[in-house]
Amino acid sequence: MRLRLVNYAVRGEEEQAVGVLAEEFVVPLRRLLEACPTVTLPAEGINQALDVLTCEQTTKAVRTALEWLQERKAGADSELMIAREKVKLLPPVRPAKLFCLAGNFMSHVQESKSKIGAAEAKRVPETPRIFMKPPSTTLRGDGEPIVLSRSSTFVDYEAEMAVVIGKAGRHISADEAMQYVVGITCFNDVSERRLSIWPVTERSPWDRFFDWLNGKWMDGFAPMGPCVVPISEVDDIHNLRIRLYLNDQLMQDASTSDMIFSVPQTIEYLSHVLTLERGDVITMGTPSGVGFPRGVQLHDGDVVRVELEGVGVLTNPVVAE
């Protein structure tokens, strides 16, 4: 059983817990560890999925308990599982800082050339282009709606892979960068493409830049999940298939091998700007196939699915405010 860690709450209850996503069930970790005769509960406790990712001893105990669970006879494990429809899946990580890469797939840069200029579209970026989203208001879990704000005019999707930082670091070299990555998850960099809060007589390039940037910040524009997978269970972080479906129609289909800047290069660059901390999340950019260049925007009633190889499927309905 793959270690697909989730933060969840049983529907109708406020208490949050950590579990393992197993097809159509969630296995509560505390209940599992208490039941398994060969492991003991970690003294420091498990309050979130990040606690499992960042503690080797805890990760080992959870894997041992899952192996024990799989070895049990059929039908004997019902008390250790909760049907998925009975729980609300929360974002698998609650980062203090949420970083996003813009233009990290050349295919996406090229499809946007009508908006940024043909010359710029042909130029390969020489440094990562990093912006941030406010995690306290943008993050949403699997199944939670993408809300089209009253201020929205053209909301778009962007399938991405997100990596989770496991320990603090500054001035990290690319050679050692993967030592700081503890997991990956699916991400949807939802974007408002035509933000216009106040009318203006003339927009400068800086106005357009900040409209683009502010259009990333709307409430709920950072769906993430459904789970986080330890980096130790990922064969090659730079060779994973990533896809996005809009109402069951395939819109994006690429590989993380197409990224311009790798995860280590991005961590090296970013850690020279600021200190990366435990739990920070970096999303690695989107491939071609976004809606704006072809006039496809999100509407009330749509359903968006992001699929990342080895992780799972992040599904979010779209609703009007």
Side-chain angles (χ1 to χ4, degrees):
M1 184 183 296
R2 183 180 289 271
L3 194 53
R4 301 169 70 205
L5 298 162
V6 296
N7 296 325
Y8 74 94
V10 175
R11 294 191 183 278
E13 300 180 10
E14 294 185 3
E15 185 178 359
Q16 299 181 13
V18 184
V20 173
L21 188 60
E23 300 302 333
E24 296 306 313
F25 295 90
V26 169
V27 183
L29 277 195
R30 183 174 185 87
R31 193 184 302 176
L32 173 65
L33 293 175
E34 288 176 341
C36 180
T38 58
V39 301
T40 57
L41 279 171
E44 63 275 15
I46 304 174
N47 300 311
Q48 54 179 324
L50 187 63
D51 295 331
V52 180
L53 293 173
T54 56
C55 179
E56 185 176 346
Q57 183 178 359
T58 301
T59 303
K60 184 178 179 179
V62 173
R63 286 197 177 105
T64 299
L66 286 174
E67 291 173 0
W68 167 80
L69 179 62
Q70 285 184 295
E71 292 172 356
R72 299 185 71 188
K73 294 181 179 179
D77 54 10
S78 58
E79 75 276 12
L80 297 178
M81 292 185 172
I82 305 174
R84 183 168 173 171
E85 65 267 18
K86 293 183 178 180
V87 306
K88 177 182 179 181
L89 294 181
L90 309 171
V93 182
R94 283 284 185 184
K97 299 193 292 296
L98 174 57
F99 302 100
C100 304
L101 263 67
N104 198 36
F105 284 74
M106 200 62 197
S107 62
H108 176 50
V109 174
Q110 291 171 340
E111 75 175 349
S112 305
K113 63 183 178 181
S114 62
K115 307 300 177 184
I116 64 176
E120 175 69 8
K122 292 178 181 178
R123 188 174 70 87
V124 177
E126 296 183 41
T127 63
R129 295 168 176 174
I130 300 170
F131 63 96
M132 299 178 72
K133 287 195 171 195
S136 62
T137 51
T138 59
L139 279 178
R140 294 293 185 271
D142 179 76
E144 290 191 85
I146 298 168
V147 178
L148 304 179
S149 158
R150 288 174 291 176
S151 303
S152 299
T153 57
F154 196 110
V155 178
D156 203 352
Y157 53 81
E158 293 188 13
E160 306 198 9
M161 173 182 71
V163 298
V164 183
I165 300 299
K167 59 182 179 180
R170 185 88 162 94
H171 299 296
I172 303 167
S173 70
D175 289 340
E176 62 181 357
M178 291 306 295
Q179 299 174 24
Y180 289 78
V181 177
V182 291
I184 66 171
T185 186
C186 304
F187 187 80
N188 188 350
D189 178 17
V190 182
S191 308
E192 165 55 58
R193 304 294 194 190
R194 291 178 179 162
L195 184 69
S196 181
I197 304 299
W198 290 348
V200 295
T201 56
E202 183 179 355
R203 290 193 181 276
S204 71
W206 277 112
D207 290 330
R208 287 190 289 271
F209 168 76
F210 280 106
D211 285 345
W212 172 87
L213 181 61
N214 298 160
K216 299 282 190 176
W217 296 350
M218 290 187 167
D219 290 358
F221 273 22
M224 182 167 62
C227 61
V228 60
V229 174
I231 194 66
S232 59
E233 298 200 4
V234 180
D235 292 334
D236 183 357
I237 198 173
H238 296 105
N239 189 28
L240 299 176
R241 190 177 187 184
I242 184 167
R243 291 179 288 186
L244 183 141
Y245 290 85
L246 176 60
N247 301 326
D248 295 324
Q249 181 178 352
L250 181 63
M251 307 298 286
Q252 294 182 277
D253 189 358
S255 169
T256 56
S257 62
D258 298 333
M259 294 188 300
I260 298 171
F261 296 101
S262 67
V263 172
Q265 288 172 321
T266 302
I267 290 174
E268 180 181 62
Y269 182 88
L270 189 52
S271 70
H272 279 71
V273 177
L274 46 69
T275 299
L276 290 174
E277 299 174 290
R278 178 182 182 269
D280 284 350
V281 170
I282 306 171
T283 75
M284 295 302 300
T286 197
S288 63
V290 300
F292 192 43
R294 43 184 165 170
V296 177
Q297 60 181 302
L298 298 182
H299 295 96
D300 182 37
D302 286 344
V303 177
V304 186
R305 299 199 326 265
V306 176
E307 299 183 359
L308 180 60
E309 182 182 355
V311 175
V313 182
L314 169 66
T315 304
N316 298 93
V318 180
V319 300
E321 186 175 31

